[in-house]
Amino acid sequence: MDFEHSERARLVMDQVERFVHERVVPNEPTYRDQLQHTDEWRKWRIPPVLEELKAEARGLGLWNLFLPDEQYGAGLDNREYAPIAEITGRSFLAPEVFNCSAPDTGNAEVLVKYGSEDQKRKWLTPLLAGEIRSGFAMTEPGVASSDATNMEATCEVVDDEVVINGLKWWTSGAGDPRCRFLIFMGVTDPDAARHGRHSMVIVPMDAPGVTIVRMVPVLGHLGEPHGHAEIRFEDVRLPLDHFIAGPGRGFEIAQGRLGPGRIHHCMRAIGAAERALERLCERAVARVAFGKPLANLGGNRDIIADCRMAIDQARLLTLKAAWALDTVGTFGALVDISAIKVVAPNVLQRVVDAAIQIHGGEGMADPELNYLMGMARALRLADGPDEVHRAMVARLELEKYLKR
Ligand SMILES: Cc1cc2nc3c(=O)[nH]c(=O)nc-3n(C[C@H](O)[C@H](O)[C@H](O)COP(=O)(O)OP(=O)(O)OC[C@H]3O[C@@H](n4cnc5c(N)ncnc54)[C@H](O)[C@@H]3O)c2cc1C
C-alpha cells in the first residue's frame, strides 16, 4: 500500500487548501447572509457569492477535480483526489465551489462512463461547466430502499418511448433552481433476473408529468437552496435515447457509481471531523469553569485524544479503500468501501457530538456544528445505512470460512 501523495496531487492540494482557507471559509458568512431562508422552495435563489467563488476556482484550474478522466476532469485517481476531498470537507461551501459536489459528481461519472455522445453533449457538458445541477432519483417512500432491488417505480418501453411512473423521495438537489435533470432508476422488465430488471433514465426536470410534491426536511431543515425532493412521475414520456446504456443496465451502472462516491463522502466527512475537533479544542482551551480551562476538567483530555485517534484511523482506512479501488477495482474493494462508509460518518458524528457538548448550550445554536451534525447523521443513511454495509463486510468475511 502506498499512501505517498504524488507530486501532481500535492500541487493541487496546496492550491485547494489555500483557496479554501483564504477565499471559501471567509465567505461562508456572506453566503449565509445572502441565502433567503424560506420554506417556500420555489423561491430559493443561489447566493451570488457562490457563483463568484466558482468562477475564481475555475479560473485557477481547480475544477472537476474528482474526475479521473483527463478529457473531462483533473485526471487524479482516487488516492490522489481523496486528500483533496478531505480539504473540501472542512467547509460546507467548498465542494460546490470546485464543482465537486454530490450528486453531480456521481451523475457525471455515470455519463462519462455510460452516456451516449448526445447525452454527454446535452447534460454532461453543462454539468461540468457548473452551469446546471442534477439529482439522483432512486429511493422510494413505499419500499425499503436500502435493498435497491425493491424499487417499484417503472420505466417501461412502450413503442418508441420510455414511459415513467412512480413516487421517489430523498432526491437530493432537486429543489435547486439550477437542477435541470435527474437520473431516475426504475423497473423496465419485472420478469428479468433480479439485477437485470432496472434501468437508469435521464429525466429532464421540465418533462411533462414530473411534479415536485415537497422538500423533505433533514432534522427539521430543508437544506435550501438544494433540498431533498419528493417527486411524482406520472406518465412521463421520453424518447428511448434517454435510457443510459440501454434498458436493464441499472445495477451495473449503480455499482460503478458508488465506489468513488463513497470515498468522496468519507474523505469529506473526515475533513468535517477535523473542523469539529478544531472547534472543540479551541473552546476547550479558551473557556474556564471551576477555575480551569474546560480542557483540564473531568475526562475532556481523553475525549480529545479519542477523537484524534478515531479521525486518524478513519483517514487511513479510507485511503486504503481509495488505494484498493485504484488497484483492484470496485469488486476487489467491496469490504474496504463498505467499511469506510460505516466508520467515517460515525467518527464524524462522535466528534461533532463532543464539539457540541463542550460548547454547552451554545453548541445547540451554532450553525456550523448543527450543519455538521445533520451531515453526519444523514451520511449514516444516505448511500446505504450502516447496517447494510456491516452486512456486506460480515458476508465477505464469512465467505472465507464457508468456502472451506
Ligand atoms: C439526507 C439524505 C439524502 C439522500 N439523498 C438521496 C438521493 O439523492 N437519492 C436517493 O435515491 N436516495 C437518497 N437518500 C436515501 C437513502 O439512500 C435511503 O434513505 C437509504 O438507502 C435507506 O433506505 P430507506 O430510507 O428506504 O430505509 P429502509 O430500507 O426502510 O431501511 C430502514 C432501516 O432498516 C434497517 N436495515 C435495512 N437493511 C438492513 C440490514 N441488511 N441489516 C440490518 N438492518 C437493516 C436499518 O436500520 C435501516 O436504516 C438520502 C437520504 C438522506 C437521509
Side-chain angles (χ1 to χ4, degrees):
M1 242 171 293
D2 180 7
F3 294 160
E4 185 73 32
H5 301 313
S6 69
E7 209 177 306
R8 187 171 53 152
R10 216 171 302 132
L11 196 73
V12 182
M13 276 168 70
D14 286 348
Q15 286 178 292
V16 169
E17 187 142 36
R18 203 170 322 121
F19 197 80
V20 169
H21 183 67
E22 292 174 4
R23 299 292 300 138
V24 182
V25 172
N27 273 299
E28 288 176 353
T30 312
Y31 178 94
R32 286 202 176 96
D33 287 347
Q34 290 178 352
L35 196 61
Q36 295 130 319
H37 290 285
T38 168
D39 287 352
E40 288 180 60
W41 64 268
R42 285 185 180 81
K43 291 188 179 163
W44 287 350
R45 297 288 172 266
I46 303 303
V49 69
L50 175 62
E51 296 298 339
E52 288 159 26
L53 290 168
K54 277 169 65 180
E56 270 185 61
R58 193 175 185 188
L60 293 169
L62 303 176
W63 197 248
N64 294 328
L65 303 169
F66 65 99
L67 270 178
D69 188 327
E70 258 171 299
Q71 189 189 342
Y72 299 102
L76 301 169
D77 62 21
N78 288 295
R79 253 172 310 179
E80 291 174 313
Y81 178 60
I84 296 164
E86 175 177 345
I87 298 168
T88 65
R90 293 177 56 88
S91 163
F92 69 91
L93 259 187
E96 192 176 347
V97 167
F98 301 110
N99 215 36
C100 291
S101 52
D104 297 337
T105 43
N107 289 345
E109 277 160 5
V110 165
L111 292 173
V112 165
K113 207 164 165 191
Y114 299 97
S116 66
E117 285 313 311
D118 196 44
Q119 290 169 345
K120 285 180 183 163
R121 189 181 46 73
K122 200 158 178 199
W123 306 109
L124 180 64
T125 302
L127 197 61
L128 293 183
E131 291 162 6
I132 65 169
R133 297 216 56 187
S134 63
F136 184 69
M138 185 186 82
T139 302
E140 298 173 14
V143 295
S145 303
S146 48
D147 176 356
T149 62
N150 277 345
M151 244 48 79
E152 285 179 346
T154 52
C155 43
E156 293 164 304
V157 177
V158 180
D159 301 326
D160 56 354
E161 287 180 322
V162 48
V163 181
I164 298 174
N165 280 289
L167 186 65
K168 298 284 184 182
W169 74 342
W170 289 114
T171 303
S172 298
D176 188 310
R178 300 160 301 172
C179 183
R180 291 287 178 277
F181 75 96
L182 307 173
I183 294 185
F184 169 99
M185 188 165 171
V187 179
T188 298
D189 179 2
D191 300 323
R194 204 156 162 245
H195 290 97
R197 292 174 195 162
H198 295 79
S199 310
M200 289 203 190
V201 184
I202 296 177
V203 180
M205 286 302 285
D206 59 3
V210 176
T211 310
I212 294 186
V213 179
R214 61 169 179 144
M215 292 298 144
V216 189
V218 173
L219 299 176
H221 297 283
L222 294 185
E224 64 266 36
H226 310 302
H228 309 274
E230 180 170 325
I231 307 178
R232 185 175 303 118
F233 299 82
E234 250 172 329
D235 261 332
V236 180
R237 289 173 178 271
L238 298 166
L240 291 177
D241 63 5
H242 283 60
F243 275 113
I244 302 176
R249 299 198 45 196
F251 272 91
E252 180 193 336
I253 300 170
Q255 287 292 351
R257 183 185 193 276
L258 290 178
R262 285 176 182 154
I263 307 260
H264 305 168
H265 270 320
C266 291
M267 286 307 286
R268 280 194 296 264
I270 290 161
E274 284 286 1
R275 179 80 192 113
L277 179 57
E278 213 170 272
R279 295 284 313 277
L280 192 169
C281 292
E282 284 165 3
R283 182 74 165 195
V285 297
R287 199 160 169 100
V288 174
F290 302 101
K292 293 177 185 167
L294 299 183
N296 292 347
L297 291 173
N300 286 338
R301 283 179 178 247
D302 287 349
I303 290 171
I304 290 166
D306 285 345
C307 288
R308 165 51 58 216
M309 292 185 284
I311 293 172
D312 288 352
Q313 288 175 65
R315 178 184 296 106
L316 283 174
L317 194 59
T318 310
L319 289 173
K320 179 185 175 231
W323 170 83
L325 194 58
D326 286 338
T327 49
V328 291
T330 304
F331 287 100
L334 285 178
V335 167
D336 300 298
I337 292 169
S338 276
I340 58 160
K341 182 60 187 53
V342 178
V343 170
N346 277 283
V347 165
L348 174 59
Q349 184 179 306
R350 178 169 154 202
V351 178
V352 180
D353 186 63
I356 289 176
Q357 192 68 12
I358 205 131
H359 278 76
E362 199 178 316
M364 295 301 290
D366 183 291
E368 182 173 51
L369 295 178
N370 286 200
Y371 169 80
L372 292 177
M373 180 53 93
M375 172 182 172
R377 198 61 196 80
L379 270 182
R380 293 190 49 214
L381 289 163
D383 264 4
D386 290 357
E387 293 81 358
V388 171
H389 291 289
R390 281 203 177 89
M392 171 65 85
V393 175
R395 180 162 73 81
L396 294 175
E397 190 65 26
L398 287 169
E399 253 176 30
K400 300 174 199 166
Y401 301 87
L402 296 172
K403 270 184 192 159
R404 278 179 184 169

